[in-house]
């Protein structure tokens, strides 16, 4: 520490203060490591000190006396003065710059964001008298934003509502008015604690005081009211929101949940359809609520609606999570006189359900879908905005001619991708093993590569390449061309039986497709046609996992339903396929 | 009316009072004056009996009592607003709620805001306007402070009354301009051409075009001030294009007097093909030395949304040679994209042209993007990088080391 000059120290602290503490540590270090020549041991000790310091900004000593903060480790800065200058707060009316170090632009940004960075005020336990609030306010480093910061921390600590009221009273008495943002924060606190009468009061006051409210207030109000027995109020609020803007999906969510909680299923579905009509994507929570609250209810109409939700999942290739699937199962089993039975199971590779022996839908696309996908791949992925970006017209024509002359292939291999399977081996050996492994049963292979593979090098032995070319057709693209696009094209041209081999998830190519429908088609086709390596890289041989034969979507035959689900709550990648299924069958 | 308002503002803390300047001046005034007097007597009450039990709902009374008259007014005033006015009101409410929304917004900006396709686009646009406003305010404040300081100085000077006599008339800026112009004029005749390819307009959003033009203006400026300027060509430049409009905005009447060549022809028509080199970060070829007999082309494009290979595609289509700066070779790259801004490019090319020294030229690459020059012993840098990555990534150190080895192995990384 003693090595620093004063300015570098200050600049450093400015930097620290600007950054959130998680990742910038590394950045600081780099700057550090580059800008000061400090031996390694010094550096390490300094960084460990940095990481051990907390995210909270140190409040000046007066503040710490007043609010005994718990979650803050005390940091002693030698350059107290420099620090204070760096962390000087501003009100919007008057920006203050300390003209020492750092780019003004960044400084400004950090000051704009600074009000969100205050985390070190502890709200009092009991309501305070106005003069006590005054004292606190004076002792706070930047009195202009004291109330705001205080309310924020009250919401965070879920303080008793009376404390907040006492502060509001203090503000109202000293200013004769309460700013909108404080009212909102107070409202948030009330919603958090379900204080219905307070919410209503705040709403009345806001209506009197302001011509219109904005989305944040409405969100809070709707959420607050929908969880009470005055939930119909939330519906009227929703109508009010519709007048000025499109309600958010969480608005609808609250209202739908409230309606279904009170067994008003028709109303709930009405709202649900209205939401879909506005192109809002319902959360899985809402859909689950429908199943949860219609348990044991009778009615053909209701059943149709809920089947409709399952079909919505199918259309959009959504895989529900475990708890949602449990709700679905329970609902099915609770249908009076329905005789439905559900089992959680996993499907065999053959695509047969072990519970009811039903064969799942295969992953083949219809003729029309297939042609559509092929057209779109050529148009969007290969050509895109400029054919030259991924290939060149001459090259693509040459490739087309090459494929046409040798059709149909059974398996198309991404040569370069496969050649990297085992890092310890020579690249051409990897490819050779793969080709040998796949060349059984007289399958016709096409290997795609780039021209640099033809140049004899340590990784690409000419003899081995020669030998491989007897077993498979090869096409070498230019070194700066995209071989993946060729892979897709060749596979699609060869027909439905053709599979392709690559470890690539093809995400960037999926992203080139412009509409979600085609993207879903692409994923479906990919699941059914991509051969991947089995993860066990041990042993000599390369093993491949066959492509999935069945399609991984919600499916029904009328008296059976099969629903794939995710084990975990978080979103899986779109290329990952859930292996667990819910099988539901009707015993007649 | 206004002065009364000012008075109120002074008395009350105006940061807490939502003063909607556009509407409701009259309405705001009465209740405020009322509450002001009311709050004053309330304060007195308090001082009389501090031991009194705290009334927690007093704030509701204050809020409601001061606003009774307003209620009647607002009810009678309720009428259908135009969409623009409604949008304005919502923005005002957002601002009061503490979101990043500008205080003043012009009709044009409001229309742009309404046309934003999504909620997030709206949010971004508002934040942009908000920050712009902040910068403007702080700049204005700085100017004012400067003026004050100057006036103070003047006062002091007038007190001492000591005017120094100087035989030179202060015409520095003018002379410098003239000298620079001569130099650039010479380069127009004898200098090495440098081409800006202006054919990317349709690949960019309006904001990106504006950014591009700004960068070009900066490049032109630093070219003018250099010892041995390039002869700048704008090729594929269409009249009345967005580029053109933006340039006019920047240069105003100076646009016609700029010492550069602007043409709607393609560079392949102006120069022999074998002399052209298209500079693009996606190029597989790396530039080793600066060639004084070649003509370098820089694509005038800002891609905020990453568009890989657009400029490489242009070069491929025309069959031109391409090159990328040897950033990997000379810099221990750390983070960020390898595409540089046009003014950085200009600085680098000028420095190369004058000195041929890569180290000096690559000083203009933003410091945040690299950890150091590879001119230092590499093992030392490796140590630093490893240390950094250990701290950044913890367990994934192995992986990073591999990555490092890959980056610095002699051959290009191949898929």
């Amino acid at each position: 520490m003693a090595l620093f000059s004063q300015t570098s120290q200050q600049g450093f602290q400015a930097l620290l203060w600007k950054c959130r503490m998680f990742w910038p540590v590394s950045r600081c270090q780099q700057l550090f490591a580059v800008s000061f020549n400090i031996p390694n041991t010094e550096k390490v000790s300094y960084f460990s000190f940095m990481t051990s310091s907390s995210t909270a900004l140190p409040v000046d000593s007066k503040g710490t006396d007043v609010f005994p903060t718990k979650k803050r480790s005390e940091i002693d800065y030698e350059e107290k003065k420099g620090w204070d200058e760096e962390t000087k707060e501003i009100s919007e009316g008057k920006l203050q710059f300390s003209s020492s170090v750092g780019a003004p632009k960044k400084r400004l940004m950090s000051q704009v964001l600074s009000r969100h960075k205050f985390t070190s005020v502890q709200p009092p336990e009991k309501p305070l008298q106005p003069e006590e609030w005054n004292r606190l306010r004076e002792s706070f480093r930047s009195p202009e934003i004291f109330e705001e910061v205080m309310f924020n921390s009250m919401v965070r600590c879920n303080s008793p509502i009376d404390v907040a009221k006492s502060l509001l009273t203090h503000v109202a008495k000293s200013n004769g008015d309460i700013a909108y943002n404080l009212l909102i924060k107070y409202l948030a606190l009330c919603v958090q604690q379900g204080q219905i009468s307070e919410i209503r009061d705040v709403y009345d006051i806001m209506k009197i005081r302001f011509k219109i409210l904005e989305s944040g207030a409405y969100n809070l109000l709707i959420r607050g009211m929908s969880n009470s027995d005055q939930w119909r109020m939330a519906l009227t609020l929703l109508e009010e929101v519709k007048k000025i803007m499109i309600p958010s999906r969480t608005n609808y969510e609250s209202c739908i949940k409230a309606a279904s909680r009170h067994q008003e299923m028709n109303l709930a579905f009405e709202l649900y359809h209205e939401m879909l009509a506005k192109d809002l994507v319902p959360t899985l929570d809402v859909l689950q609520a429908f199943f949860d609250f219609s348990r044991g209810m009778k009615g053909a109409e209701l059943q149709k609606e809920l089947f409709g939700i399952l079909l919505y999942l199918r259309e959009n290739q959504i895989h529900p999570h475990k708890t949602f699937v449990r709700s679905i199962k329970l609902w099915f089993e609770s249908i009076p006189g329905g005789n439905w039975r559900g089992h959680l199971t996993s499907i065999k590779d053959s695509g047969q359900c072990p519970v009811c022996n039903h064969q799942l839908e295969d992953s083949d696309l219809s003729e029309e879908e297939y042609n559509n996908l092929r057209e779109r791949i050529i148009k969007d992925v290969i050509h895109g905005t400029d054919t030259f970006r991924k290939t060149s017209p001459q090259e693509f024509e040459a490739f087309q001619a090459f494929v046409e002359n040798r059709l149909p292939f059974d398996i198309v291999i991404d040569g370069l991708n496969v050649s990297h399977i085992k890092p310890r081996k020579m690249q051409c050996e990897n490819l050779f093993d793969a080709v040998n492994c796949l060349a059984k049963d007289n399958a016709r292979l096409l290997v795609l590569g780039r021209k640099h593979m033809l140049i004899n090098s340590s990784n690409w032995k000419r003899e081995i390449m020669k030998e491989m070319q007897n077993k498979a057709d090869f096409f070498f693209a230019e070194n700066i061309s995209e071989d993946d696009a060729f892979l897709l094209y060749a596979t699609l041209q060869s027909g439905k039986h053709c599979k392709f081999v690559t470890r690539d998830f093809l995400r960037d190519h999926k992203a080139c497709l412009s509409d979600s429908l085609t993207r879903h088609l692409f994923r479906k086709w990919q699941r059914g046609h991509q051969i991947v390596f089995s993860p066990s890289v041990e042993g000599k041989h390369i093993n491949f996992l066959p492509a999935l034969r069945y399609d991984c979507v919600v499916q029904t035959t009328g008296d059976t339903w099969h629903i794939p689900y995710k084990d975990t709550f978080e979103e899986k990648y779109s290329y990952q396929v859930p292996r667990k299924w819910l099988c539901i069958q009707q015993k007649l | 009316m206004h002065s009364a308002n000012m008075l109120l503002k002074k008395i009350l803390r105006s940061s807490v009072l939502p003063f909607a300047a556009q509407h409701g001046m009259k309405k705001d005034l009465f209740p405020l004056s009322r509450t002001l007097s009311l709050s004053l007597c309330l304060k007195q009450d308090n001082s009389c009996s501090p031991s009194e039990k705290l009334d927690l709902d007093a704030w509701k009374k204050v809020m409601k009592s001061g606003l009774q008259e307003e209620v009647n007014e607002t009810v009678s005033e309720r009428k259908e607003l135009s969409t623009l006015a409604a949008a304005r009101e919502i923005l005002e409410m957002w601002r009061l709620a503490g979101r990043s929304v500008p205080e003043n917004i012009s009709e044009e900006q409001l229309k742009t805001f309404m046309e934003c396709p999504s909620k997030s686009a709206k949010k971004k646009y508002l934040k942009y306007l908000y920050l712009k406003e902040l910068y403007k305010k702080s700049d204005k404040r700085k100017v004012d402070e400067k003026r004050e300081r100057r006036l103070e100085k003047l006062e002091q000077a007038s007190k001492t009354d000591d005017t120094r006599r100087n035989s030179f008339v202060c015409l520095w800026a003018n002379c410098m301009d003239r000298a620079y112009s001569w130099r650039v004029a010479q380069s127009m005749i004898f200098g090495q051409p440098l081409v800006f390819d202006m054919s990317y307009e349709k690949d960019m959003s309006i904001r990106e075009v504006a950014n591009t033009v700004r960068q070009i203006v900066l490049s032109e400026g630093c070219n003018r001030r250099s010892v041995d300027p390039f002869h700048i060509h704008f090729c594929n430049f269409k009249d009345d294009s967005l580029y053109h409009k933006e340039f006019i905005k920047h240069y105003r009447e100076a646009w016609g007097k700029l010492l550069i060549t602007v043409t709607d022809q393609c560079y392949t028509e102006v120069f022999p093909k074998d002399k052209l080199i298209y500079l693009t970060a996606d190029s597989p070829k790396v530039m080793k030395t600066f060639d004084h007999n070649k003509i370098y082309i820089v694509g005038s494009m800002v891609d905020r949304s990453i568009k890989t290979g657009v400029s490489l595609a242009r070069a491929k289509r025309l069959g031109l040679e391409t090159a990328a700066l040897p950033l990997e070779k000379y810099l221990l790259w750390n983070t960020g994209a390898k595409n540089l801004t046009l003014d950085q490019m200009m600085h680098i090319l000028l420095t190369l042209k004058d000195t041929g020294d890569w180290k000096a030229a690559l000083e203009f690459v933003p410091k945040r993007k690299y950890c150091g020059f590879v001119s230092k012993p590499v093992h030392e840098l490796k140590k630093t990088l490893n240390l950094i990555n250990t701290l950044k990534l913890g367990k994934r150190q192995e992986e990073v080391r591999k990555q490092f080895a890959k980056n610095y192995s002699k051959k290009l990384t191949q898929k």
Side-chain angles (χ1 to χ4, degrees):
Chain A
M1 294 295 291
L3 282 167
F4 299 171
S5 65
Q6 191 169 320
T7 47
S8 68
Q9 167 86 340
Q10 276 187 20
F12 215 81
Q13 282 171 344
L15 212 137
L16 279 184
W17 139 242
K18 266 175 220 163
C19 306
R20 293 221 183 96
M21 277 304 229
F22 300 113
W23 68 273
V25 171
S26 58
R27 255 177 88 169
C28 304
Q29 290 147 4
Q30 288 154 10
L31 279 163
F32 213 60
V34 174
S35 52
F36 316 107
N37 281 325
I38 297 172
N40 263 340
T41 49
E42 282 280 339
K43 256 182 274 175
V44 172
S45 68
Y46 184 76
F47 299 148
S48 58
F49 136 76
M50 272 169 36
T51 43
S52 67
S53 66
S54 75
T55 52
L57 292 170
V59 182
D60 53 352
S61 52
K62 275 187 229 163
T64 48
D65 290 341
V66 181
F67 321 108
T69 47
K70 293 163 192 168
K71 294 177 186 171
R72 199 162 53 74
S73 57
E74 288 294 326
I75 314 167
D76 269 336
Y77 286 95
E78 293 169 32
E79 300 272 337
K80 197 81 185 184
K81 220 168 145 187
W83 179 276
D84 275 351
E85 197 175 52
E86 291 305 332
T87 56
K88 203 171 273 178
E89 276 302 314
I90 43 141
S91 61
E92 268 158 48
K94 192 176 169 214
L95 289 170
Q96 286 191 327
F97 286 97
S98 47
S99 53
S100 55
V101 277
K105 187 173 170 182
K106 277 192 177 166
R107 174 76 43 79
L108 186 65
M109 277 299 293
S110 73
Q111 282 172 326
V112 170
L113 299 173
S114 62
R115 46 190 54 216
H116 306 294
K117 293 201 171 191
F118 266 94
T119 52
S120 45
V121 187
Q122 199 74 2
E125 309 284 315
K126 287 191 193 66
L128 299 183
Q129 294 286 356
E131 46 284 4
E132 288 168 309
W133 279 121
N134 257 335
R135 220 170 300 137
L136 276 189
R137 191 170 192 272
E138 294 311 316
S139 65
F140 188 65
R141 194 176 45 229
S142 44
E144 321 64 63
I145 58 165
F146 168 73
E147 286 88 5
E148 212 180 320
V149 174
M150 198 47 150
F151 265 113
N152 280 345
S153 58
M154 279 183 195
V155 172
R156 204 174 322 111
C157 309
N158 206 5
S159 301
I161 208 151
D162 288 348
V163 180
K165 277 186 185 176
S166 75
L167 178 56
L168 279 180
T169 303
H170 164 63
V171 174
K173 284 186 176 176
S174 47
N175 299 331
D177 192 4
I178 297 173
Y180 183 73
N181 59 347
L182 296 188
L183 282 176
I184 289 230
K185 289 184 202 301
Y186 175 67
L187 183 62
L189 190 67
C190 298
V191 169
Q192 204 165 290
Q193 302 179 4
Q195 305 266 7
I196 298 305
S197 64
E198 280 302 310
I199 296 174
R200 292 210 68 141
D201 281 350
V202 176
Y203 175 63
D204 290 340
I205 285 172
M206 281 184 170
K207 285 303 274 189
I208 291 169
R209 180 70 189 74
F210 302 100
K211 263 194 211 164
I212 57 165
L213 304 185
E214 45 79 61
S215 44
Y218 277 125
N219 279 345
L220 286 166
L221 288 166
I222 289 176
R223 186 145 46 103
M225 296 316 292
S226 65
N227 288 330
S228 69
D229 47 3
Q230 305 176 11
W231 61 275
R232 289 198 185 270
M233 173 93 181
L235 296 180
T236 48
L237 283 167
L238 186 71
E239 290 304 315
E240 236 176 86
V241 178
K242 273 185 222 167
K243 274 180 206 157
I244 51 172
M245 58 193 128
I246 294 172
S248 68
R249 70 180 194 170
T250 45
N251 292 162
Y252 275 109
E253 187 177 346
S254 308
C255 293
I256 288 173
K257 276 187 177 170
S260 47
R261 197 178 302 122
H262 295 85
Q263 306 290 311
E264 297 251 2
M265 279 312 182
N266 287 340
L267 175 62
F269 276 111
E270 212 172 291
L271 286 168
Y272 169 70
H273 291 305
E274 191 179 296
M275 178 176 180
L276 290 183
K278 289 196 164 109
D279 279 339
L280 295 169
V281 180
T283 53
L284 290 184
D285 258 14
V286 170
L287 303 182
Q288 190 180 339
F290 279 125
F291 284 96
D292 279 336
F293 292 114
S294 9
R295 209 171 291 164
M297 285 166 85
K298 241 185 140 74
E301 195 57 37
L302 178 74
Q303 208 162 312
K304 208 178 99 191
E305 286 281 11
L306 288 165
F307 285 166
I309 291 181
L310 291 175
L311 292 176
Y312 174 86
L313 295 180
R314 177 191 168 94
E315 290 300 307
N316 294 290
Q317 298 193 8
I318 297 169
H319 305 306
H321 47 81
K322 209 168 178 172
T323 49
F324 186 6
V325 157
R326 191 170 296 128
S327 302
I328 295 174
K329 178 172 176 281
L330 288 172
W331 173 75
F332 265 108
E333 289 172 346
S334 75
I335 298 174
N339 289 330
W340 292 93
R341 278 283 150 269
H343 298 275
L344 300 182
T345 174
S346 53
I347 303 285
K348 298 172 190 165
D349 279 350
S350 62
Q352 206 180 32
C353 168
V355 182
C356 59
N357 294 329
H358 170 73
Q359 183 68 32
L360 292 184
E361 288 175 39
D362 62 26
S363 52
D364 280 348
L365 279 63
S366 70
E367 203 61 44
E368 191 188 343
E369 286 173 337
Y370 197 85
N371 289 334
N372 181 11
L373 180 66
R374 189 169 47 196
E375 292 306 311
R376 294 301 298 277
I377 291 276
I378 294 173
K379 191 169 152 292
D380 290 347
V381 179
I382 297 176
H383 292 303
T385 52
D386 189 347
T387 314
F388 283 94
R389 275 175 79 169
K390 286 187 174 163
T391 167
S392 66
Q394 298 85 352
E395 188 183 32
F396 186 57
E397 272 167 34
F399 179 67
Q400 277 182 307
F402 173 91
V403 172
E404 289 305 321
N405 289 335
R406 292 170 177 72
L407 280 180
F409 295 105
D410 297 320
I411 298 174
V412 183
I413 302 169
D414 182 347
L416 280 169
N417 188 303
V418 169
S419 69
H420 285 285
I421 297 179
K422 294 184 183 171
R424 303 207 179 284
K425 275 189 169 178
M426 242 194 298
Q427 287 174 9
C428 59
E429 275 187 46
N430 275 330
L431 186 57
F432 188 68
D433 288 347
V435 168
N436 276 341
C437 179
L438 293 163
K440 292 162 194 161
D441 325 320
N442 294 330
R444 291 178 53 89
L445 304 183
L446 167 64
V447 180
L448 293 169
R450 291 211 182 103
K451 291 207 165 139
H452 68 77
M453 293 158 70
L454 290 170
I455 300 162
N456 200 3
S457 64
S458 61
N459 259 324
W460 299 101
K461 290 273 175 283
R462 193 162 283 164
E463 307 80 59
I464 300 183
M465 291 297 286
K466 277 268 188 319
E467 196 171 337
M468 267 194 276
Q469 290 186 22
N470 299 332
K471 299 197 178 196
D473 283 310
F474 272 71
F475 182 86
F476 297 101
E478 291 295 332
N479 289 340
I480 52 172
S481 293
E482 275 271 357
D483 48 1
D484 289 348
F486 290 149
L487 177 90
L488 298 178
Y489 175 80
T491 314
L492 283 163
Q493 274 313 82
S494 295
K496 285 184 185 178
H497 69 286
C498 183
K499 308 272 190 287
F500 63 94
V501 185
T502 176
R503 283 184 301 176
D504 202 296
F505 296 125
L506 307 177
R507 282 174 287 208
D508 44 351
H509 306 292
K510 189 194 79 161
C512 292
L513 297 166
S514 44
D515 64 307
S516 60
L517 191 71
T518 320
R519 276 186 229 147
H520 284 317
L521 277 185
F522 180 77
R523 277 285 177 239
K524 185 174 172 179
W525 173 78
Q526 187 190 352
R527 282 199 296 262
H529 294 81
Q530 183 167 11
I531 298 175
V532 288
F533 319 113
S534 67
S536 61
V537 192
E538 297 309 311
K540 271 189 183 175
H541 291 291
I542 295 179
N543 288 321
F544 291 97
L545 293 176
L548 277 183
R549 282 197 219 155
Y550 56 92
D551 194 14
C552 239
V553 287
V554 176
Q555 42 195 278
T556 179
T557 58
D559 57 353
T560 62
W561 282 87
H562 287 91
I563 299 164
Y565 69 93
K566 304 183 285 206
D567 229 349
T568 45
F569 204 80
E570 77 263 13
E571 196 56 53
K572 276 204 172 140
Y573 295 117
S574 55
Y575 55 83
Q576 286 178 317
V577 201
R579 293 276 168 191
K580 305 198 166 187
W581 288 71
L582 167 67
C583 157
I584 297 170
Q585 46 182 332
Q586 196 170 23
K587 291 272 185 344
L588 293 171
Chain B
M1 177 84 232
H2 186 70
S3 59
N5 255 331
M6 289 305 291
L7 191 76
L8 270 178
K9 260 191 184 171
K10 272 181 194 158
I11 293 170
L12 297 164
R13 196 171 283 93
S14 57
S15 64
V16 189
L17 281 174
F19 251 78
Q22 303 105 322
H23 51 84
M25 263 300 184
K26 210 193 298 180
K27 281 197 323 249
D28 274 346
L29 194 69
F30 292 112
L32 282 182
S33 48
R34 269 201 45 148
T35 47
L36 178 65
S37 54
L38 182 129
S39 59
L40 277 175
C41 60
L42 279 173
K43 265 187 189 162
Q44 280 168 354
D45 282 353
N46 260 342
S47 55
C48 292
S49 49
S51 57
E52 192 189 16
K53 177 89 180 66
L54 196 63
D55 176 15
L56 287 175
D57 284 338
W59 63 274
K60 291 180 191 172
K61 287 184 200 121
V62 172
M63 290 297 283
K64 284 177 182 167
S65 66
L67 297 155
Q68 282 311 321
E69 302 138 43
E70 203 182 324
V71 184
N72 310 334
E73 270 188 63
T74 48
V75 170
S76 60
E77 252 187 66
R78 268 290 146 78
K79 57 178 187 285
E80 282 308 304
L81 290 159
S82 69
T83 47
L84 276 180
R88 212 177 260 286
E89 292 217 331
I90 284 183
L91 289 189
E92 182 54 28
M93 290 317 286
W94 274 343
R95 202 175 63 76
L96 291 180
R99 290 203 195 183
S100 308
V101 176
E103 261 177 74
N104 308 308
I105 186 165
S106 69
E107 290 286 316
E108 203 181 328
Q109 287 168 337
L110 203 59
K111 284 206 174 79
T112 317
F113 163 77
M114 307 264 282
E115 281 157 13
C116 284
S118 66
K119 275 188 184 176
S120 59
K122 281 181 176 163
K123 239 183 223 170
K124 275 181 194 159
Y125 183 66
L126 286 178
K127 184 160 185 184
Y128 158 73
L129 292 179
Y130 169 72
L131 285 175
K132 212 164 115 175
E133 201 176 48
L134 270 188
Y135 288 132
K136 217 172 173 172
K137 272 187 196 163
S138 66
D139 285 348
K140 193 172 176 306
R141 201 179 39 73
K142 276 187 211 160
V143 168
D144 290 348
E145 280 176 10
K146 220 174 176 174
R147 188 185 303 125
E148 273 172 32
R149 274 204 298 276
R150 208 176 51 226
L151 286 174
E152 274 174 29
K153 262 189 190 161
L154 274 179
E155 272 175 29
Q156 284 169 359
S158 63
K159 276 174 194 165
T160 51
D161 206 0
D162 174 30
T163 44
R164 277 171 43 223
R165 300 204 165 245
N166 202 334
S167 56
F168 287 105
V169 184
C170 210
L171 283 174
W172 269 101
N174 207 342
C175 293
M176 294 298 275
D177 275 350
R178 214 168 291 167
Y180 289 146
S181 298
W182 269 111
R183 255 189 225 155
V184 184
Q186 278 179 342
S187 82
M188 296 269 294
I189 305 166
F190 305 110
Q192 181 180 1
L194 176 74
V195 178
F196 281 95
D197 178 6
M198 307 297 238
S199 59
Y200 293 100
E201 194 170 297
K202 63 179 187 302
D203 294 312
M204 291 192 276
S205 66
I206 295 173
R207 238 181 112 181
E208 285 171 335
V209 172
N211 290 332
T212 308
V213 167
R214 200 151 159 208
Q215 289 179 11
I216 294 177
V217 170
L218 285 173
S219 330
E220 192 273 326
C222 79
N223 182 56
R224 196 188 322 162
R225 280 189 287 278
S226 71
V227 185
D228 179 15
F230 282 105
H231 174 196
I232 296 182
H233 288 260
F234 290 172
C235 290
N236 293 324
F237 189 92
K238 304 275 177 290
D239 272 343
D240 299 323
S241 58
L242 263 179
Y243 279 124
H244 193 167
K245 286 191 187 96
E246 285 292 328
F247 273 121
I248 297 285
K249 247 186 226 173
H250 274 279
Y251 282 115
R252 301 216 176 96
E253 62 277 4
W255 172 245
K257 300 180 206 154
L258 273 187
L259 294 169
I260 53 175
T261 305
V262 179
T263 167
D264 58 353
Q265 286 179 301
C266 183
Y267 28 89
T268 47
E269 297 163 20
V270 183
F271 302 106
K273 249 190 186 183
D274 55 338
K275 285 215 163 178
L276 291 168
I277 295 184
Y278 209 118
L279 294 174
T280 163
D282 302 314
S283 170
K285 294 196 193 71
V286 174
M287 195 166 151
K288 287 203 172 58
T289 52
F290 182 86
D291 191 337
H292 293 272
N293 298 320
K294 292 272 196 230
I295 294 146
Y296 289 98
I297 307 169
V298 179
S300 333
M301 181 168 74
V302 171
D303 49 348
R304 284 173 169 278
S305 58
I306 296 168
K307 300 185 185 73
T308 317
V310 174
S311 52
L312 186 65
R314 294 274 148 96
K316 258 161 95 179
R317 179 187 294 275
L318 298 166
L320 299 175
E321 206 180 318
T322 59
L325 292 179
L327 300 173
E328 280 285 321
K329 188 176 159 194
Y330 289 101
L331 301 176
L332 192 57
W333 200 260
N334 169 29
T335 176
K338 294 206 175 62
N339 50 1
L340 303 174
T341 63
L342 302 174
D343 48 315
Q344 285 159 12
M345 213 58 210
M346 189 62 150
H347 275 293
I348 289 170
L349 289 174
L350 281 169
T351 317
L352 282 177
K353 188 177 173 202
D354 294 343
T355 62
D357 175 7
W358 279 107
K359 190 168 189 297
L362 294 180
E363 284 289 338
F364 291 101
V365 177
K367 296 277 181 291
R368 66 174 186 279
K369 289 193 176 183
Y370 62 92
C371 310
F373 278 94
V374 186
S375 50
K376 288 183 193 175
V378 172
H379 67 266
E380 225 173 88
L381 285 172
K382 252 191 209 173
K383 255 189 217 165
T384 321
L385 192 71
N386 271 345
L387 177 75
I388 287 162
N389 284 323
T390 319
L391 288 156
K392 187 153 63 174
L393 307 164
K395 290 172 195 166
R396 287 177 46 212
Q397 201 187 343
E398 252 335 283
E399 226 172 291
V400 173
R401 204 173 287 155
K402 267 183 210 158
Q403 190 67 39
F404 181 88
K406 219 196 284 181
N407 285 352
Y408 282 88
S409 58
K410 275 283 176 238
K411 57 180 191 311
L412 281 170
T413 45
Q414 294 149 347
K415 248 173 91 184

